[in-house]
Amino acid sequence: MEHHRACHLCEAICGVVIEHDGDRLTGVRGDPDDPLSRGYLCPKATALVDLHHDPDRLKTPLRRTAGGDFEPVDWETALALTAERLAHARRQHGPRGVAFYVGNPTVHNLGALLGMQAFGAALKSHNRYSATSVDQLPKMLASLQMYGHQLLISVPDVDRCDLFIVFGANPLVSNGSLMTAPGMKRRLDAIRARGGRVVVFDPRRTETARVADEHHFVRPGTDALVLFAMVHTVFEEGLVRLGRFAHHVADLDTLRTLAREFAPERTEAVTGVSASVVRRLTRALADTGRAAVYGRMGVSVTDFGGLSNWLIEVLNVLTGHFDEPGGMMFSSPAADLAAVGTLLGQRGSFGRIRSRVRGAPGFSGELPAACLAEEIDTPGDGQVRALVTLAGNPVLSTPNGARLERALPSLEFMVSIDPYVNETTRHAHVILPPTFGVEREHYDLAFHGLAVRNTARWSDPIRPREASQRHDWEILSDLSARLAARGNPLRERALRAAASVLTPARIVDLALRAGPYRLTRAKVAAAPSGVDLGALVSVMPGRLQTRDGMIPLAPRCYVDDVPRLRAWWASAEARDPSQLVLIGRRGLRSNNSWGHNSVRLVKGPVGCTLRIHPDDAKARGLAQGDVAVIASRVGEVRAPVEVSDEVMRGVVSLPHGWGHHREGVRMRVAAAHAGVSANDLTDDAALDAMSGNAVLNGVPVTVTRAEGATASV
Ligand SMILES: Nc1nc2c(c(=O)[nH]1)N[C@H]1C(S)=C(S)[C@@H](COP(=O)(O)OP(=O)(O)OC[C@H]3O[C@@H](n4cnc5c(=O)[nH]c(N)nc54)[C@H](O)[C@@H]3O)O[C@H]1N2
Ligand SMILES: Nc1nc2c(c(=O)[nH]1)N[C@H]1C(S)=C(S)[C@@H](COP(=O)(O)OP(=O)(O)OC[C@H]3O[C@@H](n4cnc5c(=O)[nH]c(N)nc54)[C@H](O)[C@@H]3O)O[C@H]1N2
Ligand code: SF4
Ligand SMILES: [Mo]
């Protein structure tokens, strides 16, 4: 039998056809009729099958015993205990005392995405964290500052673009991020086939760089200087082309003044990108009708992620590639999360709250994830004493995860809503495992809104869940009702009744009806491969949400951050040239920290290796297969060495999401391919001070040879 649905493992949301014989999934292939993915599939899709049948995946709630082990308990016991302990912690320690960390899979999970809103409200925590601040926060901040809404996220119209300039993204491996565009190889090939060009700026000659027309090494963390140099060139060479936005932008003169000091001839020594490259590409950008500048993780999680993301938006606006076909456009989703946000008064906010210990800025009610450990291990009023994690693994995914790992056992109570006992959840007192993948219904509320083509697709579950299982949204709404009722049974009953009416399916239906195409859930569900709603269309200035309807080109927070960039620039010029810096790397068969329990995904060459340039290796007496000791301010790990000139001199690359050797982890396949955690090296003290985003790239490290050890790579 065949079951059509969306792959929920990454942002590409590929249409898949799952082959099954009732209870057993037997295979997965790309759905050729899906209007967005058109049959494309990556190797990770096999995890949909493998993890479905994974014997380590939890089906029953677990409770920690006095001896420190876990025992299975029934749902009523687990949920009642959780609600009681959370309410108790809140009473004892106040709204800051209970923290809530929300991980990445939530965005790929309709029920969790919706359920966490109500749960967050019921928990009333003033200590919220998510993977946003180790990822795309600076892009959302730029949207909020310039377009007035954190979810008005511009995406490259790759299918009509003739010059695609990429800063710090590797879509051939990541399959695209803040750019839902399955099959990027095909789409990039198409740009080149129509005579267009692809240009990549990356400290590593990545899989994407290899298929591009041009690749330029850029020193990690220096993109803001390259981008400022491009803005400088736009002004200096008279390349401003505002087109129909000429009367919709503000602060053009402020921007011009700010960019003055960043002549490409001055930035090249530190960035490694020559002035001639900057000038030539800036001219090409301004002179190409359909062009886009796009940036992702590589520019986001650096010391100047905020400035870099702002400057990328600015460049597109300045050169006439904002909201124009082939440029950076906006999707028009059938169910519009941004519109719902506006309706609820949630356009986003910045700097309204500050973290207790170091005063780091909050974004949309969240504090930087890099602050979580110190909020737990620093005594005082407002100290975090209880924690809820939902679909997150911050021990492996946030900077200085080892510090968090040391802090978690001190919590009075911790609950994890998660299908695995992993590096983070093993510290929980209660683990509540939800349904997974094909077991639940699905609609990509977030990713249709980031897609390079407007489509809509509803996925039914393969069968109703077992009576012994709970969906994420059921777990969340149950806990919400118990917490919000505060012991009043009548109230609790009323809240449960409301939740049983306003199910995720019902909410999607309402949002579709209210959306621009006036669809219904039934209409979308009638097309199991999805509904095609056409290419992206221009929507601005109509959808701008800024108060005055203008696009400010120089918002205050960025202007105020320029002196910090200037100071850093001066110090970088004086830098010791032998100092290595660490960057990350994603693998095609790896999915953040939680795909490694699939046998088919971990087989083959070792994933967790340190890549180092031949000259840097030689200077340290390192050869292929040696084990290197990599040390940073916060920690030290050992990894096998791969000597390769694909990384630029002075840069080493280690993937994140590994390090499954930790005691108590119940993921047998992953533990047998443990690797080490890059986030035992990244530094929780190093934030993009302006935005509060984590710094995961450009981390200073030393690398030495581990005596007597070799490894097979
Ligand atoms: N050094 C370094 N660190 C990084 C990055 C990097 O590039 N370099 N990347 C960062 C990025 S971009 C991200 S998004 C973060 C991710 O950071 P996190 O979201 O904290 O971590 P994940 O590895 O995605 O772990 C997801 C967790 O969700 C669970 N899970 C999976 N599916 C479901 C589900 O349907 N429901 C529930 N309840 N749980 C589920 C998994 O078992 C796992 O425990 O990591 C960041 N960390
Ligand atoms: N296979 C696979 N796919 C994934 C994931 C996964 O873990 N595995 N994770 C998913 C998630 S959560 C996300 S957010 C996306 C991320 O999607 P992408 O951002 O496309 O993926 P990355 O591989 O992190 O790409 C970042 C690139 O930036 C480069 N880089 C590092 N530092 C710098 C710098 O300072 N400047 C510049 N210009 N470049 C730099 C790195 O070498 C790398 O090639 O991928 C998603 N897709
Ligand atoms: S690219 Fe791979 S993991 Fe991502 S949605 Fe498509 S099949 Fe799934
Ligand atoms: Mo991410």
Side-chain angles (χ1 to χ4, degrees):
M1 285 186 288
E2 291 186 341
H3 171 70
H4 288 68
R5 69 181 298 112
C7 174
H8 71 287
L9 294 175
C10 88
E11 298 179 43
I13 65 169
C14 299
V16 294
V17 183
I18 307 256
E19 292 145 16
H20 66 104
D21 54 21
D23 264 358
R24 191 112 213 121
L25 311 188
T26 51
V28 52
R29 55 188 163 81
D31 182 350
D33 298 326
D34 183 290
L36 189 62
S37 64
R38 297 173 297 174
Y40 174 79
L41 206 64
C42 88
K44 271 188 301 174
T46 54
L48 288 176
V49 174
D50 289 3
L51 300 185
H52 177 80
H53 293 298
D54 187 349
D56 290 339
R57 181 161 70 92
L58 304 176
K59 301 282 173 55
T60 322
L62 296 181
R63 174 174 63 186
R64 184 103 63 82
T65 62
D69 207 356
F70 282 113
E71 64 182 3
V73 284
D74 62 76
W75 279 101
E76 176 54 32
T77 307
L79 291 165
L81 172 68
T82 300
E84 194 269 308
R85 296 290 301 269
L86 289 177
H88 177 78
R90 203 176 176 287
R91 274 195 307 274
Q92 292 285 306
H93 307 294
R96 275 182 181 263
V98 184
F100 183 23
Y101 176 91
V102 177
N104 166 281
T106 308
V107 194
H108 300 262
N109 179 327
L110 172 68
L113 188 62
L114 294 172
M116 74 169 217
Q117 309 291 341
F119 178 73
L123 196 62
K124 293 200 192 115
S125 166
H126 291 185
N127 236 316
R128 295 176 62 167
Y129 303 84
S130 85
T132 291
S133 55
V134 286
D135 189 349
Q136 81 289 357
L137 187 155
K139 172 84 174 177
M140 294 172 75
L141 178 61
S143 296
L144 176 65
Q145 297 291 337
M146 295 178 68
Y147 316 135
H149 196 307
Q150 59 180 352
L151 296 181
L152 276 175
I153 291 183
S154 61
V155 296
D157 183 18
V158 275
D159 293 347
R160 289 179 291 185
C161 182
D162 294 326
L163 175 62
F164 187 39
I165 303 182
V166 177
F167 279 88
N170 187 13
L172 252 57
V173 167
S174 69
N175 284 294
S177 184
L178 301 186
M179 170 179 69
T180 288
M184 271 303 285
K185 170 79 168 58
R186 208 153 63 187
R187 294 178 200 266
L188 295 185
D189 286 348
I191 294 180
R192 307 188 61 208
R194 60 180 177 262
R197 297 175 69 72
V198 178
V199 181
V200 173
F201 286 87
D202 199 300
R204 184 166 81 83
R205 197 180 329 106
T206 59
E207 296 76 357
T208 306
R210 284 172 205 273
V211 304
D213 298 274
E214 290 180 37
H215 165 236
H216 302 285
F217 282 126
V218 55
R219 182 95 188 141
T222 65
D223 300 83
L225 294 173
V226 179
L227 291 157
F228 247 138
M230 291 179 80
V231 173
H232 173 101
T233 306
V234 168
F235 285 116
E236 194 194 35
E237 301 195 12
L239 303 171
V240 177
R241 317 234 192 286
L242 291 172
R244 64 190 166 90
F245 291 97
H247 301 293
H248 296 283
V249 301
D251 311 336
L252 193 64
D253 289 335
T254 312
L255 183 66
R256 188 197 315 265
T257 309
L258 275 181
R260 202 159 281 153
E261 68 190 282
F262 299 95
E265 291 71 18
R266 290 194 59 217
T267 57
E268 66 181 4
V270 166
T271 65
V273 180
S274 73
S276 64
V277 164
V278 169
R279 288 192 183 272
R280 177 173 55 78
L281 284 173
T282 309
R283 283 175 211 136
L285 178 66
D287 293 342
T288 305
R290 295 185 162 191
V293 185
Y294 161 78
R296 252 326 261 128
M297 279 300 278
V299 291
S300 200
V301 284
T302 63
D303 289 291
F304 298 97
L307 284 176
S308 302
N309 274 276
W310 159 64
L311 289 166
I312 287 173
E313 302 298 322
V314 159
L315 265 177
N316 286 299
V317 175
L318 281 184
T319 56
H321 303 303
F322 175 71
D323 196 43
E324 296 288 355
M328 291 301 276
M329 299 193 78
F330 297 85
S331 63
S332 304
D336 192 348
L337 258 191
V340 174
T342 305
L343 216 63
L344 300 175
Q346 293 175 353
R347 291 187 179 87
S349 64
F350 178 55
R352 263 194 218 152
I353 52 171
R354 297 251 154 206
S355 72
R356 172 184 67 110
V357 177
R358 83 174 94 162
F363 180 76
S364 295
E366 286 181 21
L367 296 168
C371 296
L372 177 56
E374 70 190 16
E375 293 295 334
I376 299 174
D377 69 19
T378 310
D381 200 24
Q383 183 182 7
V384 170
R385 302 301 299 132
L387 173 68
V388 183
T389 71
L390 167 66
N393 192 2
V395 165
L396 291 194
S397 58
T398 63
N400 200 357
R403 177 176 179 180
L404 182 63
E405 187 176 29
R406 287 191 299 273
L408 292 180
S410 70
L411 291 169
E412 286 173 13
F413 182 69
M414 173 172 164
V415 55
S416 293
I417 304 173
D418 202 288
Y420 285 102
V421 182
N422 65 19
E423 299 75 12
T424 297
T425 63
R426 75 188 174 100
H427 296 287
H429 297 88
V430 176
I431 304 180
L432 303 170
T435 52
F436 182 79
V438 298
E439 293 167 341
R440 59 186 184 228
E441 58 198 12
H442 187 63
Y443 184 89
D444 278 297
L445 268 183
F447 299 113
H448 286 306
L450 299 169
V452 300
R453 188 173 181 84
N454 294 315
T455 64
R457 182 189 41 210
W458 173 265
S459 308
D460 278 319
I462 206 161
R463 54 161 169 73
R465 64 158 173 75
E466 305 281 343
S468 59
Q469 292 182 298
R470 294 289 180 278
H471 298 302
D472 277 283
W473 73 269
E474 291 176 307
I475 298 169
L476 290 162
S477 81
D478 182 289
L479 290 175
S480 307
R482 289 178 201 253
L483 284 169
R486 276 178 270 125
N488 178 336
L490 273 179
R491 216 181 127 105
E492 189 177 320
R493 213 173 307 146
L495 288 165
R496 283 181 193 282
S500 69
V501 176
L502 219 52
T503 59
R506 183 80 187 118
I507 293 172
V508 168
D509 186 53
L510 290 171
L512 286 170
R513 285 171 193 272
Y517 312 95
R518 304 279 176 229
L519 289 167
T520 63
R521 191 180 66 79
K523 270 191 211 158
V524 176
S529 297
V531 181
D532 190 7
L533 301 165
L536 302 186
V537 293
S538 299
V539 298
M540 295 296 183
R543 268 172 64 193
L544 282 176
Q545 304 251 340
T546 46
R547 270 201 205 104
D548 55 3
M550 302 286 277
I551 302 171
L553 292 177
R556 181 94 251 149
C557 61
Y558 301 116
V559 176
D560 289 350
D561 203 28
V562 172
R564 188 173 65 98
L565 177 65
R566 195 180 295 133
W568 184 89
W569 185 12
S571 72
E573 276 169 345
R575 193 193 66 231
D576 168 7
S578 68
Q579 170 77 68
L580 294 174
V581 291
L582 178 74
I583 61 168
R585 185 171 84 239
R586 287 180 150 77
L588 198 54
R589 291 178 297 132
S590 188
N591 192 29
N592 293 334
S593 76
W594 63 281
H596 301 145
N597 219 43
S598 154
V599 177
R600 285 187 283 182
L601 291 192
V602 291
K603 72 170 189 234
V606 177
C608 188
T609 59
L610 185 80
R611 293 206 184 140
I612 184 167
H613 188 276
D615 294 353
D616 293 326
K618 196 161 158 229
R620 288 160 182 79
L622 280 164
Q624 181 84 5
D626 281 351
V627 172
V629 180
I630 314 141
S632 72
R633 187 190 76 86
V634 304
E636 186 179 294
V637 300
R638 285 163 183 244
V641 165
E642 279 185 278
V643 179
S644 164
D645 67 1
E646 72 167 36
V647 284
M648 86 191 275
R649 218 171 286 160
V651 175
V652 288
S653 159
L654 186 73
H656 80 285
W658 299 86
H660 309 297
H661 54 280
R662 285 146 154 98
E663 198 191 318
V665 172
R666 295 195 189 170
M667 298 176 74
R668 281 165 288 187
V669 180
H673 299 80
V676 291
S677 176
N679 287 319
D680 288 347
L681 295 171
T682 56
D683 193 338
D684 55 325
L687 283 183
D688 169 8
M690 190 277 289
S691 72
N693 209 37
V695 178
L696 307 173
N697 285 324
V699 178
V701 289
T702 59
V703 175
T704 50
R705 188 166 178 278
E707 286 312 321
T710 52
S712 55
V713 177

